[in-house]
Amino acid sequence: MTDHLTIVTHPLVQHKLTLMRDKNTSTGEFRALLREISALLAYEVTRELELTTRAIETPMQEMDAPVLKGKKLALISILRAGNGLLDGVLELIPSARVGFVGLYRDEATLKPVQYYCKLPEGLEDRLVIVVDPMLATGNSSAAAVDLLKAAGATSIRFMCLLAAPEGVARMKEAHPDVPIVTAALDKRLNDKGYILPGLGDAGDRMFGTK
Ligand code: URA
């Protein structure tokens, strides 16, 4: 993947995203849509997985057929909203290992502080896909990637539903080697760090909290 930012413009993704943005969409519908859209985004984020061939016999003849080369994968969810993207990705890649990173924002310093981290072993040999629906300021995403690199990860992608230009710029500055896949690049952040037009608080909308 060479582009730093890939926007998945597929009509199914765009249609589902519009339903998710609508404030009248229920929690149950929002969660189901998130699962579906995450599988479609996973399709894009894994586009360049390496293939090899295996000799098989079809009912007609022998052939060397493409199969995945078998690079191991790790999905890393940024708590808590990242969890909404896990199931859809795991449907496509059931054998992926899953890790969790929890960060909160210190209101005095405005810096992300880690409160939870549980990562799969052998990150250095894995393609690591970080999932978080909203790339807003990019501070927690950049901090999560810092942490993954410190744990040995060298091949990292970031998958989100919506990105703000501020978050994309922050990630490009901090981690130019980490390609981002998103369903849309929105206009800007408001003064509370929410994406406009956005879809509100992704965690609240998927879990029905306020
Ligand atoms: N996190 C959210 O859930 N929504 C935003 O708009 C920004 C960050």
Side-chain angles (χ1 to χ4, degrees):
M1 202 169 265
T2 48
D3 290 344
H4 187 250
L5 181 70
T6 302
I7 300 171
V8 181
T9 55
H10 193 287
L12 285 176
V13 170
Q14 294 304 314
H15 178 79
K16 289 177 195 299
L17 179 59
T18 297
L19 299 178
M20 294 183 76
R21 288 184 191 271
D22 188 335
K23 67 176 184 181
N24 295 314
T25 296
S26 71
T27 299
E29 286 167 327
F30 187 93
R31 212 181 292 148
L33 286 160
L34 187 58
R35 185 188 182 109
E36 291 167 10
I37 218 170
S38 57
L40 296 167
L41 294 174
Y43 178 85
E44 186 62 39
V45 94
T46 53
R47 177 180 287 283
E48 284 158 34
L49 281 181
E50 276 184 73
L51 291 170
T52 180
T53 56
R54 183 197 292 164
I56 59 163
E57 282 179 46
T58 77
M60 310 302 290
Q61 65 175 94
E62 294 176 356
M63 75 175 285
D64 288 326
V67 287
L68 288 171
K69 209 165 182 178
K71 186 168 172 81
K72 296 173 188 164
L73 267 103
L75 292 178
I76 309 295
S77 165
I78 304 186
L79 296 175
R80 73 180 157 149
N83 287 10
L85 293 170
L86 285 179
D87 286 348
V89 182
L90 285 169
E91 266 167 31
L92 280 193
I93 319 165
S95 60
R97 300 296 165 94
V98 181
F100 299 89
V101 174
L103 300 161
Y104 72 88
R105 190 165 76 148
D106 183 308
E107 292 306 331
T109 63
L110 300 183
K111 295 254 165 65
V113 182
Q114 178 190 320
Y115 67 87
Y116 188 77
C117 184
K118 188 81 181 167
L119 301 175
E121 287 185 350
L123 282 190
E124 56 281 2
D125 299 323
R126 298 180 187 275
L127 171 64
V128 175
I129 302 173
V130 182
V131 294
D132 189 356
M134 310 298 272
L135 177 58
T137 62
N139 288 334
S140 54
S141 313
V145 172
D146 282 340
L147 202 147
L148 294 169
K149 286 184 174 173
T154 55
S155 178
I156 306 176
R157 315 242 156 115
F158 188 88
M159 186 182 119
C160 60
L161 195 56
L162 288 185
E166 295 89 333
V168 173
R170 172 85 181 91
M171 282 290 279
K172 187 161 194 177
E173 174 205 330
H175 300 292
D177 57 322
V178 175
I180 298 165
V181 170
T182 186
L185 179 64
D186 271 12
K187 286 211 173 71
R188 64 179 178 90
L189 297 179
N190 72 6
D191 57 5
K192 293 198 167 68
Y194 279 84
I195 298 177
L196 297 176
L199 50 72
D201 188 296
D204 282 346
R205 293 206 58 198
M206 78 180 73
F207 297 119
T209 49
K210 257 276 173 250

